[in-house]
Amino acid sequence: VQLQASGGGLVQTGGSLRLSCAISGRTLSSHVMGWFRQAPGKEREFVAATRWSRNSVLYADSVKGRFTVSRDKSMSTVDLQMNNLEPEDTAVYYCAVGISLDSSRLSYFTWGQGTLVTVSS
């Protein structure tokens, strides 16, 4: 499985962005698709995840109610809709494939390259 994230950019506080992760290769029904982010000088942190085969999702507390993760099996993509963005959301965002619907980086075994999101105040 290979992943390609896109959709990052510069947005003002309160604005929205939609990230997309294009998936190539064989996707198993047991796979979990996750989004993580890493701000400058900080550890990579969990943002959201969804099971590939059914509509089961998990969000970090910091993004609940603002971000929505969704999958499009026909297009082989997993999107992250980000609304009401805050400067604290500024980071490089990564998509990843895992085997367990949880927030631990250790559960994810394939990572895409990141896409930069910058939220100006």
Side-chain angles (χ1 to χ4, degrees):
V1 177
Q2 293 183 319
L3 308 174
Q4 179 84 27
S6 62
L10 174 64
V11 64
Q12 291 185 332
T13 297
S16 298
L17 276 177
R18 188 175 185 89
L19 305 183
S20 185
C21 180
I23 305 161
S24 59
R26 186 183 179 196
T27 304
L28 302 180
S29 59
S30 58
H31 281 164
V32 170
M33 307 302 302
W35 284 97
F36 287 74
R37 66 186 182 187
Q38 188 166 15
K42 294 188 176 182
E43 295 284 324
R44 190 171 298 187
E45 64 175 6
F46 172 77
V47 176
T50 180
R51 293 192 183 280
W52 184 246
S53 62
R54 51 192 169 96
N55 191 26
S56 181
V57 297
L58 179 68
Y59 293 99
D61 288 343
S62 59
V63 306
K64 279 181 181 176
R66 300 188 299 123
F67 291 11
T68 302
V69 62
S70 61
R71 73 221 189 284
D72 186 332
K73 298 174 79 173
S74 64
M75 296 294 292
S76 292
T77 60
V78 176
D79 293 346
L80 185 68
Q81 177 67 42
M82 306 185 296
N83 298 327
N84 195 20
L85 283 161
E86 305 166 350
E88 293 74 23
D89 296 315
T90 295
V92 177
Y93 284 70
Y94 300 87
C95 56
V97 178
I99 56 174
S100 178
L101 187 65
D102 64 49
S103 60
S104 171
R105 288 182 295 171
L106 298 178
S107 296
Y108 297 83
F109 54 84
T110 297
W111 295 79
Q113 94 298 347
T115 185
L116 177 62
V117 172
T118 304
V119 184
S120 62
S121 57

